[in-house]
């Protein structure tokens, strides 16, 4: 396996983790968030600062990183309690822009120079790079997926589903909208924080522009394309959107156009996602099974 | 005092430019409840088409007319083939479609016209003034006159014509409007076309004002205008105009006096969140 | 026959609200469809107007089949609706609301006359003509909705639950206006009402609807004393 | 008075200038089926929503089993033992019928951190939910997506969900509207059985045949005010009620 | 459904059309440049210039009898993509050396990779200090921000005789280090030159009137306005519209033929410190100018010139060591470069950390074109 494909694979795994986090918020709890990259960035910056300026190791910094992102997620999840859908959508975009400009213009965060010299992750005395980093990311992705899976099987998860489907009905079943929306926000943003921490130690150099709104759109597209609310959807979405640009690579000049056009076509003709209800994949699958759908 | 006045004049001009771009978005949101991010792409295309026609004919009037027609068509196509089929899905689906549209059109512009910044060397036939030591350049005069003209025209259309009445009725209650004989499909398309035509003018104006036209010129307006329509009250056109001008002035004064090197987009969103906390329906929003 | 509905079925998703109703309205008639709420009355009117698709059945207006026409085409053919809860355009002025009713009709001379007539019918609207419709009271909004439908001189007026939520005195006034329109101007009206007695009072014929089916029909004079009405309403 | 399970005292609800409810008071006794009726726009649903916690009344007091509940959010009401159904059915469409019921069965887990992390796919929960589904006759559709059920089954599903809360009081909001005759009969039977199991019921109903047949007592609202209260027979013959329903008539032919 | 089928068909065709480029016996030199996205103009400029360089070298029979094959990928100025592509260049394309034709962000991200893989990297115009700090395999042909900042201060102080200056800085990595360099010079040599106004502006800024109005009040002799041509262009125009008479000095970011197009009349008399002298009579410069104008019908800029040199430095090193396959030798040769006759000036050599040592050019706009104004070659100033 070449370093090139390892790099692509690692980035896909990291983005899949972040997409899983967004899926918890959007897919499981039904709350719109268009600024997820902000939390990806918060995680990356937190880990970068803790391991460079703070002198911690990746492993001792990680719980703090998750705590910080989860806490900020909780704080920024508060608007979801009182804002209507469209307002919430735009507010989350705004949060993304604001967080990025804080990174960019506050000297504490390295300003426009970003943060460099982020140490490698050390595991069992071994500096993690190349294949091991891919395996580590895949491991974290597996843990993330496991948590997602456990979450969907927990009462909290069920409560979130109920909220997503019908908030009024859910609250009349004893589900507190405040509590579980915020639970989803904390969980989802902590996952983004995990992805961010991995990203920082993989790239070993981060700057604010990595976490701008286009990244949020990319992550949301992964979730929507893969199939919102499904366990594997975000992973599939990350795979498709991670590999497509590489497939188009030889077409240099036309690559981004084709990518955008494909995204448009996919959302136009499979708005429910590749693994969602009534998707081509599901239909084919059920046809193959031959059973009634 | 002179400095302050200069800052104000400049801020209002910037606000007027914002308003021209935001208008179309507010119109579209009012009628379809869609966050039409791709509006910024229409604006970019407007600048390019305007420049192309201008280079060929050296007539700014022809250039504006051509760009307006072209963009109206583009707006119509986006509405018909992207938004209309996606209306029944949750709002993030058309939003992603819209963003994909924006990217695709930006790339098309780059492929068609090259990645370089093109200059838009048109001279607008407007005079410049010097009043009490304050210079009002001809471009500034042009921005004032044209945006005032466009706003007045739009105001006239929406409040004084049957079409405008139908647009407003459709945005308030589409079903009842259609039961009054209004073809709401057509009205929606017309709304898109009008908004897109205004975006074309904005594109040309910005192109001339900064003398540059380039593929990603819509990137910043695309999202900033979202903040502006929220501040104005989602769907409220006068609100959007007011918010744009306030932001233009506010930004200018803040930068001029406080010297904060915050990017303007973040400033717009901070203002938006402040407004949401204080008045969740926006400055001139109707429904709370 | 101005309006003829045959075997109309209306469904929302999987739920069928109207299970095949047939009725007709003749030119110049005032016909009412009465029934307790939830019987499907509004669905029928909305289907005639074209705001709700019908699942099956035919709707003929002036001999033309209109059940596949768009709402605005039906409106232009001369059908107007006074919707349930008025549904005036809240952020248009009273005057503008009325003007929407004239959309597509370009006869300025008639506009003045119509306005004058409507203002004499509902003087309060003249007083409030510059106000946003949202600021009107429920009764005023209802009057505005009627005026908005009347201004285009429709061939058929569909009236949906005008009495709902109105004070009894206002209900009376509104019904009187409808009756006058029918008697003096010969306007054809299809009225859908919960208020059975008032509707029977002013209409010529009535259909009694219960859970999506027409249970019985007849001359309103006769039905007024029919015990089955009370039964349909009060579950006797 | 003491035996009142639910009591409303002078409840008023204003929306801007509109008085949707004007000083409405009534009691619901333990084990009773109380019907809330009235013509369209009379304020029934508003009244219902103040009881279920959707609205905080402008003034007045609501007590449930002695504790004051006005202003509590719906999920707290559920925890206190009030279950409800909706006039326009609100299933969780993408969950299965069984899952819909299980949501309600988690009532005791939602409030605390540790229990809310436990899995809900346990056998015991499932069996309990299946039992409730069997009671309403939906056990055969347990694995179907709720969004695909016909209306009659959805109404029963809502009832099942409310029952899974193990409530003391059940609020039924037009649980019969849109049903066919035979379905109405089944649903009536279900409601009766529910009451027999010891659950008190407050229902809004516009189908008078059902309300008259099912309820022990009726409260009639008109224009936001209580018009009458009493046994079905007395309500049926109350001239004011008749006028509220059928309208006054008679004076419309002034010309 | 029909729409979907069309979409699927398009997808299949696209996948099939991606052929595998097979290579003959050539020397492969890799390059990353932002060919799409917001930085596409600079990417195109860099690529266009390097293409000329490749053709010139191959026209002379190549290097050591072998043709050079340039392998370019588009990194969209994105660090993530650049990292993956760096590996692709190293593993799949097996390049011998690398021309970093992109911005600081991606270049900074890939530098450690080339260092680790021991492949020489020459950065064309990326300015972040960390690029060369990655190790001994990483070189930079562009100026460090501090060097150019010092040169700018010298220009303002000595060449323009400024007693007061205003600093209006693009708030990105380059702008910041420029100001740093400017102040370093001022603190050491320019005590008699006062900084009367200092302000950073965000990268996305297009409207400078709020800043300029304040500067007008301060009325400095020279305004040092850093930023790219799409920022400096409107800035010049707006400054002159406001009636500001101060001399305005920019930096290499403004070095683009587009600047005069954008600023028009207002560009006249605008100074820049940069990395390219168009009035240099040496044949390497004049040949390049002729060829570039002929091919692309546009004026070349600093970005292109720097990329050209970055490529040529590598070629020169290969020729000197007579090897194209020994990266260590190539690296050594680059580090020993002396008095190389480069497009961007006579390159005196590289410092031990890989920073270029060469004069900084000062240009002024005359009749819409950049012309020579002066050179800053004081070794004190140009040595990083």
């Amino acid at each position: 396996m070449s370093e090139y494909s390892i790099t692509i694979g690692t980035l896909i795994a990291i983005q899949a983790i972040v997409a899983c986090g967004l899926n918890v918020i959007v897919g499981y709890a039904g709350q719109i968030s268009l600024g997820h990259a902000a939390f990806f960035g918060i995680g990356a910056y937190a880990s970068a600062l803790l391991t460079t300026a703070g002198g911690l190791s990746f492993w001792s910094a990680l719980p703090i990183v998750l705590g910080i992102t989860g806490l900020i997620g909780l704080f920024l999840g508060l608007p979801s309690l009182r804002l209507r859908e469209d307002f919430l959508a735009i507010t989350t975009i705004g949060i993304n822009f604001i967080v990025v400009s804080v990174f960019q213009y506050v000297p504490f965060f390295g300003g426009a120079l970003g943060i460099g010299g982020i140490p490698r992750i050390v595991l069992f005395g071994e500096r993690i790079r190349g294949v091991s980093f891919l395996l580590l990311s895949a491991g974290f992705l597996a843990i993330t997926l496991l948590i997602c899976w456990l979450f969907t099987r927990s009462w909290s998860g069920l409560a979130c589903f109920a909220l997503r489907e019908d908030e009024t009905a859910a609250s009349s079943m004893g589900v507190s909208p405040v509590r579980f929306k915020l639970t989803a926000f904390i969980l989802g943003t902590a996952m983004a924080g995990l992805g961010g921490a991995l990203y920082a130690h993989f790239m070993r150099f981060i700057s604010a522009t990595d976490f701008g709104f286009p990244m949020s759109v990319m992550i949301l597209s992964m979730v929507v394309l893969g199939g919102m609310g499904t366990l594997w959807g975000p992973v599939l979405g990350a795979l498709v959107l991670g590999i497509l640009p590489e497939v188009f690579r030889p077409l240099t000049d036309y690559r981004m156009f084709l990518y955008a056009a494909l995204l448009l076509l996919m959302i136009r003709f499979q708005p429910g996602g590749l693994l969602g209800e009534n998707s081509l994949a599901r239909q084919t699958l059920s046809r193959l099974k031959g059973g009634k759908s | 005092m002179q400095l302050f006045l200069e800052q104000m004049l400049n801020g209002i001009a910037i606000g007027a430019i914002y308003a021209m771009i935001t208008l179309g978005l507010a119109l579209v949101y009012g009628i379809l409840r869609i966050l039409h991010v791709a509006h910024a792409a229409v604006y970019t295309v407007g600048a390019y088409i305007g420049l192309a026609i201008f280079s060929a004919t050296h007539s700014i009037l022809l250039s504006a007319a051509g760009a307006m027609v072209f963009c109206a068509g583009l707006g119509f196509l986006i509405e018909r083939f992207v938004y209309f089929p996606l209306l029944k899905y949750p709002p993030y689906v058309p939003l992603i479609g819209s963003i994909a549209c924006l990217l695709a059109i930006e790339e098309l512009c780059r492929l068609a016209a090259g990645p370089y910044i093109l200059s838009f060397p048109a001279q607008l036939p407007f005079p410049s003034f010097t009043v009490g030591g304050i210079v009002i350049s001809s471009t500034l005069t042009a921005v004032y006159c044209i945006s005032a003209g466009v706003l007045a025209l739009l105001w006239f259309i929406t409040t004084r014509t049957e079409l405008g009445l139908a647009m407003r009725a459709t945005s308030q209650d589409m079903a009842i409007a259609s039961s009054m004989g209004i073809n709401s499909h057509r009205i929606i398309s017309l709304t898109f076309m009008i908004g897109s035509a205004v975006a074309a003018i904005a594109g040309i104006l910005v192109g001339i004002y900064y003398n540059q036209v380039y593929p990603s010129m819509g990137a910043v307006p695309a999202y900033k205008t979202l903040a502006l329509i929220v501040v104005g009250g989602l769907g409220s056109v006068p609100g959007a105009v007011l918010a744009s001008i306030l932001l233009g002035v506010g930004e200018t004064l803040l930068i001029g006096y406080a010297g904060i090197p915050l990017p303007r987009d973040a400033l717009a969103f901070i203002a938006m969140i402040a407004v949401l906390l204080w008045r969740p329906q926006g400055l001139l929003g109707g429904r709370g | 026959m101005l309006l003829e509905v045959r075997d109309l079925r209306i469904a929302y998703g999987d739920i069928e609200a109207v299970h095949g109703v047939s009725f007709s309205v003749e030119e110049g008639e005032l016909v009412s469809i009465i029934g307790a709420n939830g019987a499907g009355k509004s669905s029928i009117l909305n289907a005639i107007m074209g705001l709700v698709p019908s699942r099956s059945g035919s709707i003929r207006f002036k001999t033309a089949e209109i059940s596949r026409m768009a709402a605005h085409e039906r409106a232009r053919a001369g059908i107007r609706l006074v919707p349930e809860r008025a549904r005036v355009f809240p952020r248009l002025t009273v005057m503008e609301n009325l003007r929407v009713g004239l959309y597509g009709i370009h006869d300025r001379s008639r506009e003045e006359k119509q306005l004058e007539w409507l203002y004499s019918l509902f003087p309060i609207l003249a007083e409030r003509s510059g106000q946003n419709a949202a600021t009107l009271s429920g009764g005023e909004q209802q009057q505005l909705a009627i005026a908005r439908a009347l201004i285009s001189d429709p061939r058929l007026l569909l009236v949906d639950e005008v009495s709902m939520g109105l004070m009894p005195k206002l209900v009376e006034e509104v019904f009187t206006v409808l009756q006058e329109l029918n008697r003096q101007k010969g306007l054809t009206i299809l009225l859908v009402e919960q208020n059975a007695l008032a509707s029977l009072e002013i209409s010529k014929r009535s259909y009694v609807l219960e859970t999506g089916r027409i249970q019985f029909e007849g001359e309103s004079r006769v039905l007024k004393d029919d015990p089955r009405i009370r039964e349909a309403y009060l579950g006797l | 008075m003491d035996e009142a399970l639910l009591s409303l005292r002078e409840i008023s609800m204003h929306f801007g200038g509109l008085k949707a409810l004007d000083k409405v008071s009534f009691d619901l006794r333990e084990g009773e089926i109380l019907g809330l009726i009235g013509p369209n726009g009379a304020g029934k649903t508003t009244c219902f929503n103040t009881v279920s916690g959707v609205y905080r009344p402008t003034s007045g007091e609501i007590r449930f089993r002695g504790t004051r509940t006005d202003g509590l959010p719906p999920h707290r009401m559920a925890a206190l033992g009030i279950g409800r159904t909706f006039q326009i059915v609100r299933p969780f469409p993408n969950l299965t019928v069984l899952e819909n019921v299980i949501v309600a069965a988690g009532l005791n887990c939602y409030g605390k951190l540790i229990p809310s992390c436990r899995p809900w796919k346990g056998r015991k929960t499932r069996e309990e939910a299946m039992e409730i589904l069997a009671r309403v006759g939906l056990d055969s559709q347990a694995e179907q997506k709720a969004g695909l059920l016909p209306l009659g089954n959805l109404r029963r599903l809502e009832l099942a969900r409310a029952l899974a809360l193990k409530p003391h009081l059940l609020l039924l909001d037009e649980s019969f509207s849109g049903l066919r005759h035979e379905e109405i009969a089944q649903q009536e039977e279900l409601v009766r059985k529910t009451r027999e199991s010891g659950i008190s019921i407050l229902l809004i109903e516009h189908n008078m045949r059902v309300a008259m047949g099912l309820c022990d007592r009726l409260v009639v609202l008109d224009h936001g005010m209580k018009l009458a209260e009493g046994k079905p027979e007395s309500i049926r013959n109350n001239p004011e009620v008749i006028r509220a329903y059928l309208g006054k008539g008679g004076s419309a032919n002034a010309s | 459904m029909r729409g979907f089928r069309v979409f699927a068909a398009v997808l299949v065709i696209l996948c099939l059309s991606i052929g595998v480029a097979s290579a003959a016996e050539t020397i492969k030199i890799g390059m990353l440049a932002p060919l799409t996205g917001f930085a596409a103009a600079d990417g195109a400029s860099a690529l266009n210039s390097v293409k000329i360089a490749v053709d010139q070298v191959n026209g002379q029979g190549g290097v050591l009898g072998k043709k050079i094959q340039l392998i370019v990928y588009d990194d969209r100025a994105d660090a993530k993509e650049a990292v993956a592509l760096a590996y692709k260049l190293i593993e799949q394309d097996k390049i011998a050396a690398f021309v970093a034709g992109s911005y600081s962000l991606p270049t900074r991200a890939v530098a450690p990779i080339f260092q680790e893989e021991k492949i020489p990297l020459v950065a064309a115009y990326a300015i972040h200090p960390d690029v060369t700090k990655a190790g001994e395999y990483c070189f930079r042909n562009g100026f460090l921000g501090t060097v150019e900042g010092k040169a700018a201060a010298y220009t303002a102080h000595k060449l323009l005789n400024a007693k007061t200056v205003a600093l209006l800085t693009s708030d990105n990595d380059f702008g910041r280090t420029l100001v740093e360099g400017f102040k370093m010079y001022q603190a050491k040599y320019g005590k008699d030159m006062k900084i009367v106004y200092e302000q950073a502006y965000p990268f996305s800024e297009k409207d400078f009137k709020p800043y300029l109005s304040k500067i007008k009040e301060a009325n400095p002799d020279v305004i040092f306005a850093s930023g790219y041509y799409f920022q400096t262009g409107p800035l010049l125009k707006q400054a002159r519209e406001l009636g500001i008479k101060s001399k305005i000095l920019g930096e290499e970011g403004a070095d683009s033929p587009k600047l005069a197009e954008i600023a028009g009349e207002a560009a006249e008399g605008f100074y820049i410190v940069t990395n390219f002298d168009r009035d240099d009579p040496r044949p390497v410069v004049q040949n390049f100018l002729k060829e570039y104008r002929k091919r692309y019908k546009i004026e070349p800029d600093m970005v292109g010139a720097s990329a050209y040199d970055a490529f040529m430095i590598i070629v020169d090193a290969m020729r000197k060591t007579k090897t194209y396959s020994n990266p260590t030798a190539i690296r050594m040769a680059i580090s020993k470069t002396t008095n190389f006759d480069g497009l961007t000036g006579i390159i005196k050599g590289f410092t031990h950390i890989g920073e270029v040592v060469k004069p900084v050019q000062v240009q002024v706009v005359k009749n819409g074109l950049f012309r020579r104004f002066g050179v800053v070659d004081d070794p004190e100033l140009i040595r990083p």
Side-chain angles (χ1 to χ4, degrees), chain D residues 12-246:
Chain D
S12 295
M13 184 76 213
H14 299 177
F15 297 105
L18 180 79
K19 288 183 181 176
L21 285 179
D22 196 3
K23 297 192 172 156
V24 173
S25 306
F26 62 84
D27 285 335
L28 184 145
R29 300 184 199 119
E30 189 94 51
E32 180 175 53
I33 301 184
L34 180 69
L36 198 56
I37 62 172
N40 258 354
K44 291 168 300 195
T45 302
T46 311
C47 182
F48 200 79
N49 280 336
T50 58
V51 174
S52 62
V54 175
Y55 296 145
R56 175 193 289 271
T58 313
S59 67
E61 194 178 303
I62 302 174
R63 283 179 184 279
F64 176 65
R65 305 173 85 200
T67 43
R68 200 156 158 192
T69 64
D70 47 281
L72 288 185
H75 67 273
R76 296 282 307 279
M77 304 296 263
L80 283 173
I82 299 181
R84 72 164 295 185
T85 67
F86 296 89
Q87 174 186 7
I88 297 158
V89 284
R90 287 173 166 273
F92 306 125
N94 289 313
L95 303 186
T96 67
V97 169
L98 183 67
E99 286 164 348
N100 263 268
V101 175
I102 293 179
V103 169
L107 181 66
N108 295 320
C109 301
Y110 295 137
K112 292 158 234 139
L113 184 62
I114 305 288
S116 70
C117 293
R118 290 209 191 104
W120 53 272
K121 289 198 167 164
R123 232 182 70 198
K124 202 171 140 250
T125 327
R126 188 191 160 85
E127 274 167 9
E128 276 176 22
M130 281 308 286
E131 191 197 321
I132 293 172
L133 279 179
R135 252 203 273 168
V136 302
L138 276 180
D139 42 346
S140 58
Q141 272 110 320
E143 298 302 335
Q144 239 187 58
K145 283 240 155 102
L148 302 176
L149 291 186
L151 181 66
N153 287 349
L154 284 179
R155 294 238 177 261
R156 281 191 273 167
L157 173 61
E158 289 220 330
L159 195 62
R161 280 197 316 199
L163 288 176
L165 293 169
K166 305 200 177 76
H168 297 282
L169 173 64
L170 200 54
L171 308 177
L172 303 182
D173 192 352
E174 307 216 352
S175 281
F176 299 87
S177 74
L179 296 189
R180 292 195 301 273
H181 282 289
E182 56 279 17
E183 290 173 328
I184 289 179
Q186 290 169 356
Q187 185 89 341
E188 275 182 309
E189 192 49 40
L190 261 174
V191 172
R192 282 207 189 88
K193 268 202 266 175
T194 305
R195 190 256 297 270
E196 275 157 30
S197 71
I199 299 171
S200 314
I201 291 164
L202 172 66
L203 60 85
I204 294 185
E205 193 46 62
H206 64 241
N207 185 332
M208 295 298 279
R209 231 185 278 275
V210 173
M212 294 280 170
L214 204 55
C215 299
D216 303 319
R217 285 190 312 128
L218 293 167
V219 170
V220 187
L221 294 182
D222 192 25
H223 289 108
M225 285 182 283
K226 187 166 87 173
L227 192 67
E229 179 175 358
K231 301 236 180 263
E233 307 81 70
S234 70
I235 294 295
R236 184 176 295 166
N237 298 314
N238 184 326
E240 278 196 71
V241 175
I242 293 175
R243 194 159 52 167
Y245 265 86
L246 295 181

Side-chain angles (χ1 to χ4, degrees), chain B:
Chain B
M1 194 55 202
Q2 187 186 334
L3 177 64
F4 178 75
L5 281 179
E6 271 177 359
Q7 303 272 33
M8 284 297 286
L9 282 174
N10 187 44
I12 294 171
I14 294 176
I17 288 177
Y18 288 164
M20 301 253 281
I21 311 172
T22 313
L23 262 176
L25 204 65
L27 277 174
V28 168
Y29 185 85
I31 210 156
L32 276 191
R33 305 282 178 274
I34 275 184
L35 299 175
H36 178 31
V37 173
H39 191 60
V42 177
Y43 147 90
T44 308
V45 169
Y48 269 107
I49 297 290
L51 177 56
I53 298 179
F54 179 78
S55 310
T57 64
H58 292 279
S59 155
I60 192 67
L61 282 178
L62 269 181
S63 139
M68 284 169 74
V69 170
F70 191 91
C71 286
L74 182 62
F76 174 77
L77 291 179
I78 293 175
E79 185 256 329
R80 263 307 133 91
F81 295 108
V82 182
Y83 295 146
F84 198 72
L86 294 178
L87 270 183
K88 56 179 184 284
Y89 295 97
Y92 53 78
V93 172
L95 181 67
I96 292 181
S98 188
I99 291 169
C101 228
L102 170 70
L103 290 177
I105 293 175
E106 250 180 31
E107 281 298 304
L108 267 184
C109 286
R110 188 182 62 77
L111 289 171
Y116 297 106
I117 293 181
L118 305 178
S119 64
F120 201 138
Q123 283 302 316
L124 291 172
F126 285 90
S128 64
F129 301 97
T130 313
V131 186
I134 299 171
V135 187
I136 304 173
S137 65
S138 69
T139 31
L140 213 56
T141 324
V143 169
Y144 283 139
C145 292
I146 293 173
S147 56
V150 168
L151 289 183
L153 184 66
L154 218 68
W155 174 83
F156 180 81
I157 290 176
T158 48
T159 62
R160 290 288 178 275
T161 66
E162 194 171 56
L163 170 65
L165 190 62
M167 281 164 59
R168 286 189 293 152
T170 305
S171 76
Q172 293 179 28
D173 193 330
M174 203 178 290
I176 296 303
S178 67
S179 80
M180 297 288 139
I182 295 172
N183 184 346
S184 42
H185 274 205
R186 184 178 297 163
I187 293 296
I188 291 170
S189 299
L190 278 171
T191 306
F192 260 87
M193 292 165 78
I194 291 175
S196 304
V198 174
I201 299 183
I204 292 178
L205 203 56
V206 169
I208 294 175
Y209 189 66
Y210 297 119
N211 199 14
Q212 32 186 292
V213 174
Y214 52 100
S216 60
M217 65 189 278
V220 172
Y223 307 112
K224 192 168 183 170
T225 47
L226 290 182
L228 284 174
I229 62 168
V230 172
V231 172
L234 278 179
S236 161
V237 175
V241 172
L242 178 70
S244 304
I245 291 177
L246 282 182
L247 185 77
V249 171
E251 279 181 352
T252 309
L253 293 184
L254 257 180
I255 294 166
Y257 287 98
I260 304 172
L262 265 183
R264 295 184 160 189
D265 355 339
L267 226 67
F269 281 106
I270 291 169
M272 174 192 84
I273 288 175
V275 167
L276 279 182
L277 291 176
W278 161 63
R279 221 182 120 81
Q281 72 275 39
L283 291 180
L284 298 185
R287 298 162 301 262

Side-chain angles (χ1 to χ4, degrees), chain E residues 263-325:
Chain E
E265 284 288 300
E268 290 301 306
F270 169 63
Y271 304 91
I272 49 171
V273 282
T274 186
N275 192 9
F276 186 32
D277 176 11
R278 290 143 177 98
D279 287 333
D280 195 328
R282 287 177 299 129
V284 54
V285 178
Q286 293 311 320
N287 286 343
F288 172 80
L289 286 174
K290 218 162 77 196
E291 179 66 20
Y292 196 99
R293 286 173 185 145
K294 195 179 100 200
R295 273 204 205 183
Y296 306 114
K297 311 276 180 283
I298 188 173
E299 280 291 306
D301 58 12
M302 177 285 297
V303 166
S306 302
Y308 177 96
D309 264 1
F311 176 83
M312 282 306 199
I313 287 167
I314 294 170
V315 169
D316 179 59
M318 286 178 174
R319 282 181 174 152
K320 275 188 191 144
T321 55
K322 303 199 174 9
T323 171
Y324 57 88
S325 53

Side-chain angles (χ1 to χ4, degrees), chain A residues 7 9 25 40 49 56 74 102 111 113 116 126 135 144 150 160 169 172 178 181 209 217-218 232 238 272 281:
Chain A
T7 308
I25 299 173
F40 185 32
L49 283 172
L56 296 179
L74 165 78
V102 166
L113 298 172
E126 203 55 51
L135 290 177
T144 307
L150 286 174
C160 284
S172 80
V178 179
K181 276 186 194 175
T209 47
V217 173
M218 176 76 112
W232 291 98

